[in-house]
Amino acid sequence: MSFSNAKQTKTPIARPQLGTLRIHGPDQNGIVAAFSQLLYGHGCGIVDSEQHTDHSANLFFQRIHFDYSKMLTDRISLGNGVDEVCKRFDMKSALNWGDVRQQVAIMVSKYDHCLWELLLRHRAGELDCDICMILSNHPDLQTVADAFQVPFHVFKVTKDTKEAVEKEELELLATHKVDLVVLARYMQIITDNFCESVSVINIHHSFLPAFIGGKPYHRAHERGVKLIGATAHYATADLDEGPIIEQDITRISHRDEVDDLLRKGRLLEKNVLVHAVKAHIEDRIIVYNNKCVVFDG
Amino acid sequence: MSFSNAKQTKTPIARPQLGTLRIHGPDQNGIVAAFSQLLYGHGCGIVDSEQHTDHSANLFFQRIHFDYSKMLTDRISLGNGVDEVCKRFDMKSALNWGDVRQQVAIMVSKYDHCLWELLLRHRAGELDCDICMILSNHPDLQTVADAFQVPFHVFKVTKDTKEAVEKEELELLATHKVDLVVLARYMQIITDNFCESVSVINIHHSFLPAFIGGKPYHRAHERGVKLIGATAHYATADLDEGPIIEQDITRISHRDEVDDLLRKGRLLEKNVLVHAVKAHIEDRIIVYNNKCVVFDG
Amino acid sequence: MSFSNAKQTKTPIARPQLGTLRIHGPDQNGIVAAFSQLLYGHGCGIVDSEQHTDHSANLFFQRIHFDYSKMLTDRISLGNGVDEVCKRFDMKSALNWGDVRQQVAIMVSKYDHCLWELLLRHRAGELDCDICMILSNHPDLQTVADAFQVPFHVFKVTKDTKEAVEKEELELLATHKVDLVVLARYMQIITDNFCESVSVINIHHSFLPAFIGGKPYHRAHERGVKLIGATAHYATADLDEGPIIEQDITRISHRDEVDDLLRKGRLLEKNVLVHAVKAHIEDRIIVYNNKCVVFDG
Amino acid sequence: MSFSNAKQTKTPIARPQLGTLRIHGPDQNGIVAAFSQLLYGHGCGIVDSEQHTDHSANLFFQRIHFDYSKMLTDRISLGNGVDEVCKRFDMKSALNWGDVRQQVAIMVSKYDHCLWELLLRHRAGELDCDICMILSNHPDLQTVADAFQVPFHVFKVTKDTKEAVEKEELELLATHKVDLVVLARYMQIITDNFCESVSVINIHHSFLPAFIGGKPYHRAHERGVKLIGATAHYATADLDEGPIIEQDITRISHRDEVDDLLRKGRLLEKNVLVHAVKAHIEDRIIVYNNKCVVFDG
């Protein structure tokens, strides 16, 4: 018995000839013209383009979705062209040909709500990636992984073994060319080294005001807040403080007990996390200055 | 020319014979029966009643809206009855006969959005109180007060004169029997003494994460948050940390510049503040342990 | 391999001695006092009580959550007392002792998102009922049912056999004493007779403006609406027009294609449906005049 | 006494050298390159650009915000260039130099909440236009107009005089070169001819399900809906069915009486209307096939 993603494996890539080019750098005249001219010259059509200027930082951002099915040249030539224009304008670029699904690994502990939501919405065709493995510091969620036929690896972690274990995990991730690690309520602090080795998205609760430290839902209840929230962000050195990708809240009242807060929090967490993962695997995010431009889907 | 509240002054009190009884104290058996029996015995009908139990604190709360148009006894007798039952159950009570509009004073500085919203929605009949005066540390908003024919008093404040000025203000509030002071973006810290002398509702911005200190909207923009919020609360000694009455948020994106955040923040602030003031003047709030039970309207 | 609800089957009923009494009828003086006095007299404590008056219809509603662990009499006596008071005030009542979990059947076709959400949140302990069977007109979702060890019955339906099949289904439901049928995107019209034989909750999309007839998401896209919604309601003779239990919406923009609308619609549908089912099984709904009072949880 | 817009009249135009070019037409390769090349060639920098493709209709849309402070040619030349490129690609265009504020007229009857919100948020600098006149079929809101020093014209309308009166109104609008008419709860049907003579934005309530005909709030209350909404749209021949610009909703419950629905509806209406007007005057809307692309601000 299994819920493996029949739909997706039958149709390897939804639109096999659509690439994504993301660029950013100092704002200046001529950037848009240069890149659109470049793509046009190579026979690539611009399917979609979004741009943004952070006026206070004087930075320019653009995401171009282009069709290369009638490309007149080849990938290497276009890549060289992009590099050349970037150099001229002092821009950074990320060029994705969109013909290889991103490889995503999920890390979990015992909470299962985020894992289920990721697997089910992936299976419904909403997340255009491969979920190639699940890592956990506990064996509990093995059956969930089995049901979706996703390899499940248990890596027990103690304070003393953390570095060694992370090294093993990173090797496994590297072997499978994992592009993104999703911390789906993984209840371990990961090291700076880990965050720097691969893209990592984390989800955590958020409150107004913030309740730093343990038992935040209990403290939110004690404080009588009227809203609880969740934040999905890239994990960086300082775990809860990486670039924010998505946030949402839900209303609560004095009638909600701690259990209700936890229940509503789970619903928030899973939806906000999937939203963020979807933006990442669709190449819609550009990170800079510890924050994100998230282009619309 | 004026926008004084013709509608309201013509109909002095919407429902002149409806009282409100709020009680709270240790949760125990028989409270509901005792109070409903008491009211019934005095010939008062229960129009509406909401109750709440904070199970973790083992506290019971109830708000009873009752019709005393066919009361068999008199106010003093019923008041004594309430006191007697409260004593028996170790409860606190607030009994409001609802035949005298609450007197509300608004304190402002230069920002006018909250003031306008309070005055216009009061004029539309949404706030069943009298706005009897506006106090300010600046003369700027005199014309707004004039347009609505609300007395406007300027009290300039410096660090040295604050205590003396507050004393004058409190005297003026006392003379007019002011029940509630609304800080409608009043940009002065008020003293503990002031907060303890009269009910004070304040509004301020809220963020996930919190940005404590100056220029929070600028810092929220820098941080790339996806939500901004506002919180209305009772002002207590520690200004931003009193019991929360209402909170709301609005979504933002990377496209929003600081000015957009400020604009969206103003919209939030005025709506959240009016919501909180409305709950207060309708006797729907019970404060305990630095938090609020806010019964629905 | 299975995800059966270990947590719940170990702890049969969360609070075994808590009953629920729902009453409604013409608004009049003395109702609240009479019922609270009745419960008090039998030694039952009121844990929670919500009441509501529909002033335009002059109807009174109350839901009383009471603790009968120290009841001085017995269930039959209290039941008789309730009947007696109801008769005096011309009220209707529903008395639930809360010691037997409600039996819930889910009906599905091929869409699985609502089914998964119901099963997973049931398993997380959020729905305090037994999901005793899944009925379907297609075999497709058998594996989902198996994974949660819920009996799965296929009843193929054609226009000609509908009446006969429904009779069989109703017999099966009756055998298992099913209290509630949840139509979790069941793509068949059910007959009036079916709706009248058991409580049925349905979920459907909602739009502003409404798009009656086929392909509503396509038409919403064509029309350029900025919101899509979902409505959970009791199914009655006229399928989409029974008493509304819960509604919610999500924002869309011109960037959303029909597939995005469908995806966002699925998320809405599953969350709104679970919300409604939860309210029903917690005895928080009173239906009258084709509408619902839904007391807060 | 007056609240005229001191802030705005002192600073005539926020960014005097920023133009907006909106184009749309059949989707095809080379459009983006052609326009960005054109602007670059004339020495204009692209400050911001948003584009959209309606894949089902095979239509392409773009809004380009450009800086012409260092234009190498002149307005006529650039205009000709735009026309030439549009002709080549079979596109339609709207070119706005952004140095003349749009002239906005507001039409009202007796409800004042939308009028106040428009005037106050205009005064706060949030609406970068001139509100050059207020038209009404009743004299009631004269004082509001006076307070903001906006000319107020009363045009009484009867069934028989409607056509003649509208002719006068259109002449007055033409004399003042009015670009946009905002129906701020104007309680008269306007003719098709009027809608075709000038851009008209209207606001109306929206419900799930829709309640067509009179007293919709009463019927929504009777039906027990859990949401009420508002829709801002361009007025066309069929008044409530023009292209939708913005929609929003607010939650209600059984506790809300008709008056509460009306109150919450007013709050929705004024906010949704201002949102839509803001999008229009910032040239962020492209209308096609009875729907709108609304680019973000």
Side-chain angles (χ1 to χ4, degrees), chain C residues 52 55 207-208 221-223 226 241-242 246-247 249 251 254-255 257 290-292 294 296, chain D residues 52 55 207-208 221-223 226-227 241-242 246-247 249 251 254-255 257 290-292 294 296:
Chain C
H52 169 61
H55 293 291
F207 299 94
L208 304 157
H221 183 257
E222 270 170 32
R223 185 67 185 80
K226 304 303 179 194
E241 299 293 332
E246 172 69 354
Q247 300 184 296
I249 61 100
R251 297 189 72 81
H254 60 269
R255 279 182 296 266
E257 303 199 34
N290 200 34
K291 68 192 219 187
C292 294
V294 183
D296 294 294
Chain D
H52 169 63
H55 294 289
F207 299 94
L208 304 157
H221 182 258
E222 269 170 33
R223 185 68 185 81
K226 304 302 180 195
L227 305 173
E241 300 292 331
E246 172 69 354
Q247 301 185 294
I249 61 101
R251 297 189 73 80
H254 60 269
R255 280 182 295 266
E257 304 198 33
N290 199 33
K291 68 191 215 187
C292 294
V294 183
D296 293 294

Side-chain angles (χ1 to χ4, degrees), chain A residues 29-30 36-37 45 47 49 51 53, chain D residues 29 36-37 45 47 49 51 53:
Chain A
N29 219 330
S36 54
Q37 200 56 43
V47 172
S49 162
Q51 64 182 66
T53 307
Chain D
N29 219 331
S36 55
Q37 201 57 44
V47 173
S49 161
Q51 63 182 66
T53 307

Side-chain angles (χ1 to χ4, degrees), chain A residues 222-256:
Chain A
E222 269 171 33
R223 186 65 185 80
V225 298
K226 304 303 180 194
L227 305 173
I228 58 171
T231 296
H233 62 97
Y234 286 111
T236 54
D238 187 358
L239 185 64
D240 284 356
E241 300 292 331
I244 294 168
I245 305 170
E246 172 69 355
Q247 300 184 296
D248 202 2
I249 62 100
T250 199
R251 298 189 72 81
I252 58 167
S253 83
H254 60 269
R255 280 182 295 267
D256 289 297

Side-chain angles (χ1 to χ4, degrees), chain B residues 102-109 114-115 118 127 129-131 133-136 173 178-186 190 194 198-203 232-235 245 269-270 272-278 280-281:
Chain B
Q102 288 195 40
Q103 301 301 304
V104 174
I106 301 175
M107 293 182 79
V108 294
S109 293
C114 288
L115 177 62
L118 284 162
L127 297 172
C129 62
D130 288 332
I131 296 178
M133 69 177 77
I134 298 169
L135 311 185
S136 181
L173 296 172
V178 166
D179 300 286
L180 174 68
V181 172
V182 180
L183 304 184
R185 302 292 280 130
Y186 179 66
I190 56 174
F194 194 98
V198 62
S199 290
V200 180
I201 292 179
N202 188 32
I203 180 76
H233 62 96
Y234 287 109
I245 305 170
E269 285 167 0
K270 71 185 191 183
V272 169
L273 180 59
V274 170
H275 190 107
V277 170
K278 185 169 169 65
H280 178 94
I281 62 175

Side-chain angles (χ1 to χ4, degrees), chain A residues 221 246-247 251 291, chain B residues 221-222 226 246 251 291:
Chain A
H221 182 259
E246 172 69 355
Q247 300 184 296
R251 298 189 72 81
K291 69 192 218 187
Chain B
H221 182 259
E222 270 171 32
K226 304 302 179 194
E246 172 69 354
R251 296 189 74 80
K291 69 192 218 187

Side-chain angles (χ1 to χ4, degrees), chain A residues 111 185 187 205-207 209-225 228 240 257-259 261-262 269:
Chain A
Y111 294 122
R185 302 293 281 130
M187 307 304 283
H205 45 69
S206 303
F207 299 94
F211 298 102
I212 294 151
K215 299 226 164 197
Y217 284 102
H218 289 76
R219 289 161 64 206
H221 182 259
E222 269 171 33
R223 186 65 185 80
V225 298
I228 58 171
D240 284 356
E257 304 198 34
V258 172
D259 272 358
L261 267 59
L262 288 165
E269 285 168 0

